[in-house]
Amino acid sequence: MTGQNARKASAAIVGPGNIGTDLMFKLMRRSDIVEPRFMVGVDPTSDGLARAKRLGLETTADGVDWLLAQDELPDIVFEATSAKAHEANAPRYAEAGILAIDLTPAAVGPYLCPPVNLSFNLDATNVNMITCGGQATVPMVHAVSSVVPVTYAEIVASVSSRSAGPGTRANIDEFTETTASAVEAVGGAEHGKAIIILNPVEPPLMMRNTVFCAIPPDAAEPGELKDRLLESIYAMERTVQEYVPGYHLRTDPQFDPARETWRGQARVFIPIEVKGRGDYLPDYAGNLDIITAAAARVGDLMVAHRFGVETTWKSSADLGDLADSLTGVRAKAGI
Amino acid sequence: MGDMKIRPEDVPVVGRDVSEAEVLANLSSAGGERDLRITDSTLRDGSHAMSHQFTEEQVRGVVSALDRAGVQVIEVSHGDGLGGSSFNYGFSRVDELDLIAAAVDEATHAKIAILMLPGLATVKHLKRAQAVGASVARIATHCTEADVSVQHFGEARDLGMETVGFLMLAHRASPQVLAENARIMVDAGAQCVYVVDSAGALVLSDAQERILAVIDEVGRDGAQVGFHGHQNLSMGIANSVLAYQAGAKQIDGALCALGAGAGNSPTEVLAATFARLGIRTGIDLGEVLSAAEEVVRPFIPRLPWMDRSSITQGYAGVYSSFLLHAERAGERYGVPAHEILQRVGEYGYVGGQEDMIIDIALQLAEERSLGDVAAAGVR
C-alpha cells in the first residue's frame, strides 16, 4: 500500500491490439489508481497478449467469458475490440457491476469527450470514447459552437494505414456514423458529417484532422465575433494539449465568406495535427494516442470519483515532454 | 481532312444507321453478343468537372441518350460517390438520390450504378440508393486498403445488387499488391474488380501488367476485371485497349471525357476504337457520338483538357479530382495550381484528402512570402 490512496482499481483491457496495447502503457505511466491487471484476447498467438504477459498482466485468449469467471473481477474494463463485440459484452459488464470505458464505436453509453462533457457523466456505468477522429475534432466543433450557432459541421480524419488495425477497418461505417453523431450531440452542431481516410504512404503521415464549420456570415468578417471565435479555438487547443501534448493546429483557422451554395453560411476551416506520444506505436499514430489518452484519463477520473479520492492523473506537463519513464518497461516488453 | 463523318466502309461492326430495334436486339439483355461491357461514368466522374452541379434535366438527357446508344451501365453519383456532397468535396446542386431516381426512371435497358467510398459513404447510403433503383454497387477504396470494403460488398450482395470493386490510384501499388487487394474484394463478394487509374499515371505496360496480375489472382473464381482510365497523360484509350487485350471485360468511359483531371477515356472514342478493332461493345456508334456531341457537349462549362495542371497530375500521380480544388485554392492563396498538385504528389496524399490542398496552398504561400522577404534583403 503506497501513496495516499488506500485502494487501486484493477483494470481489464479487452482487445490486445494497437489500441489496447497503447492504453496499457498509458495507464501504467499516467495513473496511480488504475492498474492494468488483465489483458483479454481471443487469439493465443496475439503479440499484444504476449507483450502484456511479459509486463506481468494476467492474460487469456479465452475472451470475456474467462474474465467474468474470475474470482476477483476487475473494477473497470476498457473495451478495445469492435462495436459488435462491445454490444454483446456491455450488458455482462453492467450485470457484474464493472465500469465500462468503451473505445469501440458501439456507443452503448453516452459519448464522452474529456474537455467537453466529462463532468456530466462521472456517474455513468458505461461511457463511449467516440472514435479517434471524434476525440480530435469534437472539441473544436464545441469551441466554435459555444461562440456561434453551427448549423453544419464536417470533419475529415486522415490516419496512416499502419495505425488502423483490423477493428477500425471492419468498423469503418460505425466510425463515420458515431463520429458524425458525436459532432452533433457533443460538438453542438445541428448536423454533423464525418469522413475517414486511410493513407498508406511511407513514412507514415501524422494523423491529420480537418474541421469545417458552417458559421454565420458576420463571424467570418474581421470583428469582435471572429476574435472571440479564434480565442475559443486556441483555448481548446491548449485544453486538449493537457492530455495529448502532440495536439496542435497546423495553421491558423481559415475563414471563407458566405456563399450561396453553403446555404448563405460562411465557413471556418480548422486544420489539426496530432503527433502521438509514441507510447506504443511511433509518433505518426496520433489517432491511437488521442483516444487512449482520453480513455485513460476518463478511467482515472471516474475511478477517483467513485472511490472519493483525488485524481492521480499525470498530465504531459507533469511528466515532462522528454521524460520517458517507460523506457525500461518497453524494453522488457520487447518494443 | 476536317470532315469527321464516319466512313461506313471503315467501321467493321456498326457502320451504318441501325434501327433502335436492332440495337435493342444486340443488347446482352436481349441475348446479343458482346466482347466487353462499357460503363459510362459521365454522371459520376463527370460530376467533378461539373463541380457537382448536375441538374435533373441534364441527367435525364444523358441517360436517355446513353440508353438509346446501347450503353449497358450508367453510373450516377456525386463525383466522390454517395454522400460526397460536403464542404470538402463540394456540395451537390441536386440531391444525388433524386438524380439516381431520375436516371432509373429514364433508363429502359441500362442498369444504373452508384459509386461509394467506405469511410465517406456507409451501408445506409447504399441502401437508400438501392431503394430508388440503383442495381450496380461500385465500391471504391485506395488500392492498398481493400479490407475496409468487406462489409459493404456483403451488404450489396444481400441487397441483390451487382458488385464491382474499385482499386483507386492503382499506380501506387505493385501488380502483386493490387492482386492481393483484388482478392480481398472478391472474397468479400465483388463480382468484378477494376484497376482504377485515378491519376491517369499508368503508361501502357503499367496498366496491362496490373490487369494481368489481377486476372491471374481472381479470374479463376469467375470474377471479371475492369479498367477505369484518365486522360492526364492521354493514355485512357490506349490503356483500355491493352486492358481488354489482357483480358479485362469491363471498361469505363465518359462522354466528351467529362471527368476529373483531364477527364476519362471518352466513351464515344472507346466505342469507335473498339469497333475499329472488331471488338463488340454493343454500342451504336452513331448514337453515342450524338450523345456526346449534342447532349453533353452543350452543357459542359469547360471541356476537360490536358493542361499544365492535369498533366502534372498524371506525371506526379495525383488523384484527378484534386484539379479544381487546387485551382480554387491556388486562386484564393495566390499560388499556382500545378505547384500545389506537384506537392500533393510528393506527399502521397490519396483520394479524399482534398482538405490537404488548402494546407499545401498555405505552405506555398508562406514559402513565397519568405522568399519575397529574402529577396528584399531582410534578415
Side-chain angles (χ1 to χ4, degrees):
Chain A
M1 208 85 51
T2 56
Q4 63 198 41
N5 296 306
R7 194 184 152 202
K8 281 188 179 190
S10 68
I13 297 170
V14 179
N18 289 342
I19 290 181
T21 304
D22 193 70
L23 180 64
M24 173 178 74
F25 285 121
K26 291 261 186 327
L27 288 171
M28 289 177 158
R29 181 159 195 246
R30 290 178 184 247
S31 177
D32 286 339
I33 53 169
V34 180
E35 184 175 54
R37 175 168 172 191
F38 306 102
M39 180 66 90
V40 179
V42 289
D43 174 8
T45 66
S46 148
D47 285 346
L49 282 183
R51 202 167 278 128
K53 190 167 195 170
R54 285 198 291 274
L55 291 175
L57 274 69
E58 294 171 51
T59 62
T60 178
D62 296 329
V64 169
D65 288 343
W66 176 91
L67 179 69
L68 295 178
Q70 297 307 297
D71 291 336
E72 284 181 45
L73 292 176
D75 297 296
I76 179 168
V77 61
F78 293 87
E79 177 112 37
T81 54
S82 69
K84 279 206 175 66
H86 186 66
E87 276 162 26
N89 294 338
R92 305 178 67 191
Y93 300 142
E95 197 181 321
I98 305 171
L99 171 63
I101 313 279
D102 170 21
L103 287 86
T104 80
V108 174
Y111 296 131
L112 215 142
C113 181
V116 182
N117 68 342
L118 176 59
S119 52
F120 313 143
N121 289 296
L122 282 170
D123 292 312
T125 55
N126 183 321
V127 294
N128 176 267
M129 298 310 300
I130 317 175
T131 59
C132 59
Q135 290 297 341
T137 57
V138 164
M140 283 301 165
V141 176
H142 180 77
V144 176
S145 77
S146 57
V147 178
V148 293
V150 173
T151 49
Y152 171 77
E154 176 182 313
I155 74 99
V156 186
S158 295
V159 306
S160 67
S161 295
R162 280 209 199 182
S163 67
T168 305
R169 290 164 182 274
N171 280 304
I172 199 154
D173 271 19
E174 287 86 346
F175 179 99
T176 58
E177 285 164 2
T178 298
T179 308
S181 149
V183 163
E184 297 171 4
V186 186
E190 221 171 289
H191 295 286
K193 183 176 184 71
I195 298 164
I196 181 171
I197 313 280
L198 305 184
N199 185 319
V201 76
E202 294 289 336
L205 293 179
M206 225 44 103
M207 185 204 197
R208 284 295 318 272
N209 302 272
T210 295
V211 174
F212 295 102
C213 292
I215 54 174
D218 53 334
E221 303 300 331
E224 182 264 346
L225 192 55
K226 185 177 174 183
D227 292 345
R228 277 202 289 137
L229 204 45
L230 283 169
E231 201 177 299
S232 176
I233 291 168
Y234 290 126
M236 186 57 86
E237 180 187 23
R238 291 190 296 274
T239 306
V240 178
Q241 282 170 347
E242 286 171 18
Y243 61 101
V244 186
Y247 185 93
H248 63 273
L249 297 190
R250 171 105 182 157
T251 60
D252 291 334
Q254 300 290 306
F255 291 85
D256 280 277
R259 286 188 197 169
E260 205 180 310
T261 53
W262 296 344
R263 297 187 181 172
Q265 296 284 290
R267 181 180 89 174
V268 59
F269 164 97
I270 309 170
I272 301 155
E273 185 170 79
V274 187
K275 185 178 176 199
R277 181 64 189 76
D279 285 337
Y280 170 48
L281 281 185
D283 58 10
Y284 60 77
N287 47 316
L288 296 190
D289 217 54
I290 196 160
I291 190 165
T292 54
R297 181 178 215 201
V298 164
D300 184 274
L301 288 167
M302 289 182 81
V303 162
H305 177 73
R306 287 192 158 195
F307 290 2
V309 299
E310 290 294 307
T311 170
T312 59
W313 179 263
K314 297 177 191 63
S315 76
S316 305
D318 297 337
L319 290 170
D321 238 352
L322 296 173
D324 191 351
S325 57
L326 277 179
T327 303
V329 182
R330 284 149 54 114
K332 195 170 150 199
I335 295 175
Chain B
M1 298 302 285
D3 182 358
M4 294 299 288
K5 274 194 190 132
I6 307 153
R7 295 176 302 172
E9 66 275 20
D10 288 346
V11 182
V13 176
V14 187
R16 60 196 163 77
D17 286 333
V18 285
S19 69
E20 189 173 344
E22 278 178 274
V23 172
L24 296 181
N26 206 40
L27 293 175
S28 66
S29 54
E33 290 287 318
R34 281 184 301 108
D35 299 309
L36 83 165
R37 183 174 88 172
I38 288 181
T39 293
D40 184 90
S41 188
T42 310
L43 298 173
R44 198 283 302 167
D45 214 318
S47 174
H48 291 299
M50 296 290 291
S51 299
H52 317 294
Q53 300 302 297
F54 275 127
T55 64
E56 183 177 324
E57 191 190 354
Q58 289 165 347
V59 167
R60 284 184 179 274
V62 173
V63 170
S64 165
L66 286 169
D67 193 59
R68 201 159 47 239
V71 171
Q72 290 177 302
V73 183
I74 301 169
E75 189 177 47
V76 183
S77 298
H78 183 281
D80 293 87
L82 298 178
S85 181
S86 57
F87 273 131
N88 202 25
Y89 310 120
F91 288 99
S92 302
R93 174 190 279 192
V94 180
D95 187 319
E96 63 193 343
L97 287 176
D98 294 338
L99 297 181
I100 293 165
V104 169
D105 181 50
E106 207 64 47
T108 61
H109 293 277
K111 288 179 164 184
I112 301 303
I114 56 86
L115 181 79
M116 70 171 293
L117 280 64
L120 168 56
T122 67
V123 165
K124 284 180 186 158
H125 292 93
L126 181 65
K127 286 182 173 166
R128 288 198 285 265
Q130 191 267 345
V132 298
S135 56
V136 183
R138 307 215 309 168
I139 302 171
T141 72
H142 182 71
C143 57
T144 56
E145 311 298 313
D147 56 357
V148 299
S149 64
V150 171
Q151 65 185 135
H152 310 87
F153 280 111
E155 289 282 350
R157 290 295 289 272
D158 288 348
L159 289 167
M161 300 178 85
E162 183 187 329
T163 50
V164 174
F166 236 50
L167 292 170
M168 301 189 293
L169 282 175
H171 73 282
R172 293 267 296 267
S174 67
Q176 180 55 36
V177 168
L178 213 53
E180 288 162 11
N181 279 272
R183 161 59 50 201
I184 293 170
M185 286 184 161
V186 168
D187 287 349
Q191 294 163 302
C192 172
V193 178
Y194 266 69
V195 172
V196 180
D197 185 16
S198 315
L202 292 175
V203 178
L204 305 176
S205 54
D206 298 336
Q208 198 171 37
E209 64 191 11
R210 283 170 173 74
I211 294 282
L212 283 169
V214 174
I215 290 176
D216 196 42
E217 176 64 40
V218 303
R220 61 179 177 274
D221 300 307
Q224 293 192 340
V225 174
F227 180 75
H228 174 101
H230 277 271
Q231 291 284 70
N232 302 345
L233 297 179
S234 194
M235 291 290 156
I237 299 292
N239 283 344
S240 296
V241 170
L242 288 173
Y244 171 78
Q245 289 174 341
K249 293 291 183 202
Q250 300 192 27
I251 301 285
D252 279 7
L255 293 169
C256 298
L258 192 67
N264 293 99
S265 318
T267 301
E268 63 277 20
V269 185
L270 285 172
T273 304
F274 281 119
R276 283 288 303 211
L277 291 167
I279 296 158
R280 293 165 298 179
T281 62
I283 294 179
D284 179 306
L285 187 55
E287 290 287 358
V288 81
L289 285 176
S290 56
E293 194 73 22
E294 289 157 28
V295 179
V296 172
R297 182 81 192 261
F299 68 64
I300 298 181
R302 186 182 89 174
L303 276 171
W305 184 241
M306 289 153 276
D307 56 14
R308 183 158 60 180
S309 290
S310 60
I311 296 166
T312 300
Q313 290 187 293
Y315 181 74
V318 176
Y319 200 68
S320 290
S321 64
F322 284 14
L323 178 66
L324 298 187
H325 296 275
E327 288 183 357
R328 279 183 219 114
E331 200 175 315
R332 163 94 153 79
Y333 295 105
V335 292
H338 69 274
E339 285 186 22
I340 298 176
L341 292 164
Q342 178 68 38
R343 193 159 292 188
V344 168
E346 285 162 17
Y347 288 1
Y349 291 137
V350 300
Q353 293 191 284
E354 271 79 344
D355 51 328
M356 297 302 157
I357 289 170
I358 302 177
D359 221 66
I360 290 179
L362 284 162
Q363 278 176 31
L364 287 169
E366 191 180 1
E367 288 167 20
R368 291 197 155 211
S369 68
L370 288 174
D372 291 346
V373 169
V378 179
R379 307 259 159 201

